[in-house]
Amino acid sequence: MSTSAPASFHDSHTHARKPRWYRSTFYNALILGICNFLAPGIWGAMNSLGAGGQASPHLVNAANSLTFCLMVLSCFFSSAFVNLIGIKAVLIIGTMGYAPYAAGLYTNNRFGTEWLVLVGAALCGLSAGLFWMAEAAIALAYPEPYNQGKFLGFWLTFRVMGQLIGGAVNLGLNVNEGRAGKVSYTVYIVFIVLQCLAPLAGLLLTQPKKVERTDGRAVKLEIQGSNKKELIATAKLFCTREFLLIVPLIAQAVYSEAVMFTYLSLWFSVRARALGSFLSAIVALTGGNILGWFLDRKWINLKVRARGAFAFIMITQGGWWIWSTILTTRFDRTRPSFDWTDDGFASAFTLFLVLVLAFQLQYLYLYFVVGHLARSPEEVVRLAGLLRGTESAAQAVSYGLGSVTSFAVVGGSAVNFGLWGVAIIPAWLVVKEIGGKLGDRREERERAVQEEEKGEDATSTDGSADEKVPV
């Protein structure tokens, strides 16, 4: 396949008017990133402290399992909500359930209350599914094709920035806590305030039809038709060969989130957990942006980019899970609690860092793959919902099993290692066709929208001319 973009692509880019900054794709990547930071980013910050910062991971793992179970439901119906109220409104509503969960963790940490953790988790699940679908669809549809990887990397940087800032705050408050236990409740007050700002940030997002891109192309991100037809279309898309084959890849990519944060909670002191939250965020955002840069290199054949990134991610991931299974099996016998002054800390801590890095790389790569499966703007919304719904189902199982004390110690690593093995061949059957049999669906989708816009403009011009013809 040719590595150069089609002629129509270059022509539209050459003659495009310079975008106004407040409607540019970079501006919208920034706003989307801020929303991500304030909502799931801060949620990730709490998780990255190990079990939401609690002394025991089991209540928080059960709450997170409830969250992701409900997210499966809200993700499936998310495209119907876009049909009713539009993508921007869905994004804003999706940010509103995160603060109640942080409030539940605060009351549990300070007063021992458990019921609000579960209520907050339920509210978070119902709204987060909408947010996850909306932000994924925006991240796939808004940027120019040659900026897709940078957009994804920049957007996901904010996700781990929540973890970075949360870790920095917690490290400052707990730097002298060289023992196991829970973090200071003061941390949660900061988190609650930040998450309450997320809906306000969402108001700053540009509507799709008003986005101005450097290539001059319009952004189309809407659903037309009845909700019943939309849900049927979403279900049919789930059953397609390409999507079913990447389901194991999605599952093994996100299953690890509960595994690595439970690992952090079980085997490290409070200040070591805070350090892990801080350093893993730096590692993840660096690695994610490097992968995004590589995936944007148009001088490298699309087929080579797709296959090369897949090979690197899956080979290294296999190594990490072998290492994880060996260490957790040993820890099950020795029952350590590592502080950064202890022998053996470096090896155990480095494993956590590379697991977080692997999660970030796989997460970004999933969007690259899904972006090359959608044939139309409508399918972008549907696939975003299906991707996020499948992620949620896998994470519901992961956090649910992580809440079982006897399973959390070793079982998580073993299951993730097994999922990795199951995912390789089915995912390869899809990845090898990107840039080959599947072509470059992202570019084809862009051209189709452009041709549709030209047709509408021509129709409008003809109509105006007809009005001027004297009777």
Side-chain angles (χ1 to χ4, degrees), residues 66-95:
L66 173 61
T67 293
F68 286 113
C69 282
L70 291 172
M71 284 176 67
V72 175
L73 184 66
S74 55
C75 280
F76 181 77
F77 288 99
S78 58
S79 62
F81 278 93
V82 173
N83 187 29
L84 288 173
I85 59 177
I87 195 76
K88 180 177 178 178
V90 170
L91 181 80
I92 293 170
I93 292 172
T95 65

Side-chain angles (χ1 to χ4, degrees), residues 168-179:
V169 170
N170 191 46
L171 185 62
L173 292 172
N174 297 284
V175 68
N176 296 317
E177 292 292 324
R179 56 180 173 78

Side-chain angles (χ1 to χ4, degrees), residues 71-333:
M71 284 176 67
V72 175
L73 184 66
S74 55
C75 280
F76 181 77
F77 288 99
S78 58
S79 62
F81 278 93
V82 173
N83 187 29
L84 288 173
I85 59 177
I87 195 76
K88 180 177 178 178
V90 170
L91 181 80
I92 293 170
I93 292 172
T95 65
M96 295 179 178
Y98 285 91
Y101 176 62
L105 291 180
Y106 168 79
T107 58
N108 177 251
N109 182 286
R110 188 170 186 182
F111 307 113
T113 307
E114 294 187 355
W115 66 268
L116 188 55
V117 175
L118 298 176
V119 171
L123 293 173
C124 183
L126 291 172
S127 69
L130 300 177
F131 179 84
W132 274 27
M133 178 284 304
E135 67 164 356
I138 291 167
L140 291 172
Y142 273 35
E144 303 86 352
Y146 48 86
N147 283 328
Q148 179 76 83
K150 288 196 289 288
F151 191 106
L152 290 174
F154 184 66
W155 159 53
L156 291 176
T157 291
F158 283 85
R159 183 179 186 273
V160 294
M161 278 187 66
Q163 181 178 322
L164 177 69
I165 293 175
V169 170
N170 191 46
L171 185 62
L173 292 172
N174 297 284
V175 68
N176 296 317
E177 292 292 324
R179 56 180 173 78
K182 61 184 181 180
V183 305
S184 169
Y185 65 80
T186 310
V187 175
Y188 296 102
I189 297 175
V190 177
F191 289 161
I192 293 168
V193 171
L194 289 173
Q195 289 188 322
C196 286
L197 298 175
L200 300 178
L203 293 171
L204 301 176
L205 188 78
T206 306
Q207 292 283 8
K209 63 182 180 181
K210 294 182 178 179
V211 173
E212 297 174 4
R213 299 182 1 171
T214 57
D215 61 8
R217 294 179 176 180
V219 173
K220 184 177 181 182
L221 195 57
E222 59 186 20
I223 297 291
Q224 297 178 343
S226 68
N227 286 333
K228 180 180 178 181
K229 289 182 178 179
E230 179 55 33
L231 294 176
I232 292 173
T234 301
K236 286 182 177 179
L237 192 58
F238 178 84
C239 296
T240 56
R241 171 186 174 274
E242 288 88 357
F243 191 82
L244 288 176
L245 286 174
I246 66 168
V247 165
L249 181 68
I250 298 170
Q252 73 88 29
V254 300
Y255 190 95
S256 62
E257 185 174 68
V259 176
M260 60 195 185
F261 289 134
T262 298
Y263 171 85
L264 185 67
S265 173
L266 287 173
W267 309 125
F268 295 91
S269 67
V270 171
R271 68 180 183 179
R273 285 154 60 182
L275 180 65
S277 173
F278 180 75
L279 291 183
S280 64
I282 296 174
V283 170
L285 69 88
T286 302
N289 280 286
I290 291 173
L291 177 60
W293 175 88
F294 171 75
L295 293 174
D296 276 345
R297 298 307 92 193
K298 294 298 181 181
W299 54 269
I300 303 176
N301 188 282
L302 175 59
K303 185 186 297 185
V304 175
R305 281 178 276 147
R307 295 181 179 188
F310 177 79
F312 175 81
I313 290 169
M314 297 306 287
I315 290 171
T316 55
Q317 184 78 340
W320 307 146
W321 289 122
I322 292 172
W323 185 11
S324 178
T325 302
I326 292 171
L327 283 187
T328 52
T329 302
R330 183 192 306 164
F331 295 164
D332 188 32
R333 296 193 306 269

